Amino acid sequence: MSAAPRLLALLSLLQSGRRWSGAELSSRLEVSARTVRRDVARLRELGYRIDAAHGRDGAYRLGAGTALPPLLFDDEQATAIAIALQASGALGAEIEDAAARALATLRRVMPARLAHHLHALHIATVARAGDSAAPPVHPTELLALARAIRERHSIRFTYDRFGTTAPDGGPPVAPRCAEPHHLVAAHGRWYLLAWDVERDDWRLFAVHRIALRTPYGPRFARRQLPTPTVGEFVAARFKGSDIDAWPCRGAVVLQLPAGDVIPFAGDGTVTPIDDRSCTLEAGSWSWDSLAASFGRFGADMRVVGPPELAAAFASVAERFAHSAPRRANAGLAPDAPAS
C-alpha cells in the first residue's frame, strides 16, 4: 500500500473511536511499527490530534484538536449527512445557509457512485398541518443551553409566555430558575425540557421565548425523568397527560364509509362496519374537546362510550346552541330581518 492510501486507512481505523496498539495497527496495515509511527506523525502534521500511550507496543487514539481537520466518511455516513443537511430546514434553527454550504462542499468531493443518487434527492420541508410558525432559534442560543445541560448548571432566564415581555402593560416578567435536562426539536420548534425550581415540577419551555441571564447558576444533581425516555415525556405533555396517552378516549359510530374517515382520523383507530358506516376511537385532552373533534366529520353519529363522552356531547351541544344567532334558533333564513 502506498503512502496516501495507507494514511487514509490509518485515519479510518483511528476514527472508529477505540484505542489501537501499535502492534494492531501494524498488523491491520501490514507495515512495520516504525512506519506506523511515521504515518501517525504525518497525520499530526495535517492537524489531527493523536494521543499516544507509552509502553512496549504503544497505543494510539484520535483526540479533539484545536481546528477541524479533513474527515473521512464511509458511504453510509456521507449519505446520512447529505440527507440531514437537506432536512435542516425542519429544525427551526438558523442554519439553512451553513447547511447549504456544507452540502455543496460534501457533494464536490463525494464519489460519483454516491453523487449520482444524492443529486436526484431533493427534500422539501413543510410545517405539519395545524402547527403555527415560530421564530427561528439562533445556534448560539442552542449551544448556550447545551453547555448548561452538559455541565449541569442551573439557569436563570426570563420567559415570554405571551409573546411580549409585559402583557397588558403590566410589570416585567419575573426571572425563572430551572435545571436544564434536554433540548428537544419537535414540530419545527425547539423546546427545553427542564426542572422548574420554583414550581417543583418538570416543564417544557419554548426556546425562542427564553432570554438567558448570564453567568450560569450553581451546579445541580441530575434528576430522573418520570418517563423512560425524553420522547415519551414530550409526547405525553403534548397530549396534556403524564403518560404518552390521551387522558380522555372514547368511540363513536359514524355514518360515513371508513375510507372517508381514515385520512382525517389522526392517531385514532377506524374500524369499518359496512359500506356506509364505521367506528372511530380517538383521544383528546378533555371530554368536551373529544366530542367537538368527532363533530368535524359533519355526519350522524352514535356514542359507543364511555358515559363521560356522551355527557360531553350534551354539554357541547348546549354550548353550541347558545352560541348560535337568535334568528337561527327561530328558524329564520340567514338573510331574513330580525323582529
Side-chain angles (χ1 to χ4, degrees), residues 236-315:
R237 284 302 168 98
F238 282 172
K239 289 181 171 70
S241 174
D242 292 329
I243 59 173
D244 187 10
W246 291 112
C248 302
R249 288 193 67 85
V252 297
V253 173
L254 288 170
Q255 297 303 313
L256 284 175
D260 293 346
V261 176
I262 289 174
F264 310 102
D267 60 357
T269 302
V270 180
T271 304
I273 296 176
D274 52 38
D275 292 342
R276 295 176 295 176
S277 63
C278 64
T279 300
L280 172 59
E281 181 183 352
S284 189
W285 55 84
S286 72
W287 291 111
D288 281 5
S289 66
L290 180 58
S293 71
F294 286 130
R296 72 187 187 274
F297 289 97
D300 291 338
M301 66 186 79
R302 174 175 57 82
V303 176
V304 175
E308 292 86 348
L309 179 59
F313 267 103
S315 173

Side-chain angles (χ1 to χ4, degrees), residues 10-26:
L10 174 59
L11 179 59
S12 179
L13 293 173
L14 293 173
Q15 284 185 168
S16 66
R18 58 163 288 189
R19 184 181 295 274
W20 294 86
S21 70
E24 288 175 316
L25 293 175
S26 296

Side-chain angles (χ1 to χ4, degrees), residues 87-226:
S88 63
L91 294 177
E94 294 180 337
I95 60 172
E96 288 87 350
D97 291 342
R101 295 197 306 271
L103 181 60
T105 300
L106 183 63
R107 280 175 168 168
R108 280 195 295 270
V109 297
M110 190 175 289
R113 63 181 182 277
L114 289 180
H116 174 71
H117 295 292
L118 289 179
H119 278 313
L121 178 65
H122 297 281
I123 300 175
T125 58
V126 295
R128 195 182 66 168
D131 288 343
S132 58
V137 177
H138 196 275
T140 56
E141 300 173 51
L142 298 176
L143 291 174
L145 291 172
R147 175 188 167 191
I149 293 169
R150 183 185 67 249
E151 299 178 1
R152 299 183 184 179
H153 280 293
S154 60
I155 57 174
R156 286 181 61 78
F157 59 96
T158 52
Y159 191 64
D160 190 4
R161 288 186 60 194
F162 305 101
T164 174
T165 55
D168 301 325
V173 178
R176 307 279 288 269
C177 181
E179 299 171 358
H181 183 275
H182 212 87
L183 281 171
V184 180
H187 306 165
R189 295 189 175 204
W190 284 93
Y191 296 90
L192 174 68
L193 171 57
W195 176 264
D196 192 315
V197 175
E198 289 144 0
R199 289 160 177 78
D200 199 32
D201 195 9
W202 293 98
R203 290 289 190 271
L204 273 179
F205 298 101
V207 173
H208 71 278
R209 298 188 183 277
I210 291 176
L212 272 178
R213 294 192 170 192
T214 54
Y216 299 115
R219 296 175 67 92
F220 61 89
R222 194 174 182 86
R223 299 175 186 267
Q224 185 68 37
L225 275 175

